[in-house]
Amino acid sequence: MIAVKELSLKYPDGTVALTEIDLKVKAGDLVYIIGPSGSGKTSLLKLFMGIEVPTSGSLEIMGRQMVGIKDYELQGLRRNIGPVFQEFRLIKGRTALENVMMGLRFLELPSRELKESAIGALERVGLGNKLNSLVDNLSWGEGQRVSIARAVARRPALILADEPTGNLDKENAVKILELLTSFSDSSTAVVITTHATHLIEEGSDYRLIEMSGGRNHEMGFREA
């Protein structure tokens, strides 16, 4: 699914974000990447999405080498990735259903199938009663759920969530993490960055990767 070897990232302004990262993620893995702000968590996810390009090292996502990847190959790869960003990137003035459907347009499915997939995803995240609500009128937590629905409606092989609990109270933050981890199965890997280690569910299987100063350290695997 993800294979990283001696990966480094240096931004044009000279900032070194990542240094010699080594990491493997298999289908079905649930991986938490933890560490303080500025430790490189978000930069790593940007590389996984193809938003940034490694300065050196090797990065393969679903068998594709990301260094030198062509635009059409990257577009095809992203169809199998469900991103959940810190900023929800929802389109205001549109309903929850419209936002999820717009996130599926690139799949080129008939409108009826797009709508069914979007409705199913919103019901899965507990917003079946908010289909026609404008996203402007939703709470922060509900907006986060719409962004998750948009990510999972395409049934991706890889879900990437960047600090999904950052602006939520503890109760809602725990619910969001439980929701995201529920999508991890034999064919889907879920990678979540967070600094809130106290919210990680004790009763689930997961791997824990700690980031510090742009480097990573595997802290082990926990079995429920």
Side-chain angles (χ1 to χ4, degrees):
M1 186 70 70
I2 299 175
V4 179
K5 187 170 180 61
E6 297 181 354
L7 183 71
S8 296
L9 174 63
K10 183 177 182 179
Y11 288 112
D13 66 359
T15 301
V16 178
L18 300 168
T19 303
E20 297 184 349
I21 300 291
D22 290 299
L23 176 65
K24 286 189 177 181
V25 177
K26 305 185 302 296
D29 278 355
L30 169 59
V31 180
Y32 286 101
I33 301 177
I34 65 172
S37 297
S39 60
K41 304 187 302 297
T42 296
S43 293
L44 190 58
L45 259 61
K46 285 182 177 179
L47 287 171
F48 293 167
M49 274 294 296
I51 296 172
E52 298 289 349
V53 179
T55 305
S56 62
S58 174
L59 171 61
E60 287 189 9
I61 307 292
M62 295 182 225
R64 291 189 180 276
Q65 178 57 244
M66 298 299 283
V67 177
I69 190 170
K70 293 180 172 56
D71 287 344
Y72 75 88
E73 293 177 315
L74 183 58
Q75 290 175 2
L77 182 66
R78 285 176 174 168
R79 295 184 180 189
N80 288 308
I81 298 176
V84 180
F85 298 103
Q86 290 183 34
E87 308 86 16
F88 305 155
R89 303 186 183 184
L90 301 179
I91 301 173
K92 293 188 175 183
R94 300 291 186 120
T95 66
L97 180 59
E98 288 172 329
N99 267 270
V100 177
M101 287 184 66
M102 291 176 77
L104 294 171
R105 287 178 302 178
F106 65 88
L107 294 181
E108 299 178 354
L109 295 173
S111 296
R112 181 177 178 179
E113 289 185 38
L114 288 179
K115 187 173 183 178
E116 289 175 351
S117 294
I119 291 174
L122 284 164
E123 289 176 341
R124 176 77 185 271
V125 302
L127 291 179
N129 62 333
K130 299 281 188 175
L131 299 179
N132 297 311
S133 297
L134 294 177
V135 294
D136 315 56
N137 300 328
L138 299 179
S139 68
W140 185 276
E142 289 170 338
Q144 180 66 287
R145 288 175 181 270
V146 174
S147 71
I148 293 173
R150 185 179 54 195
V152 302
R154 67 187 72 177
R155 299 177 183 174
L158 176 62
I159 296 173
L160 302 173
D162 188 24
E163 293 284 3
T165 64
N167 291 286
L168 298 173
D169 58 53
K170 182 177 179 179
E171 181 181 355
N172 282 303
V174 169
K175 289 179 180 178
I176 288 295
L177 285 184
E178 289 176 345
L179 177 60
L180 284 167
T181 59
S182 73
F183 293 102
S184 174
D185 57 32
S186 60
S187 60
T188 303
V190 178
V191 179
I192 303 171
T193 69
T194 183
H195 64 275
T197 55
H198 62 289
L199 297 178
I200 297 176
E201 175 61 48
E202 292 291 335
S204 61
D205 297 349
Y206 59 82
R207 291 170 56 202
L208 202 59
I209 309 293
E210 183 177 31
M211 297 290 296
S212 178
R215 297 178 182 271
N216 71 312
H217 169 68
E218 179 117 20
M219 299 179 70
F221 175 79
R222 181 182 182 89
E223 289 188 273

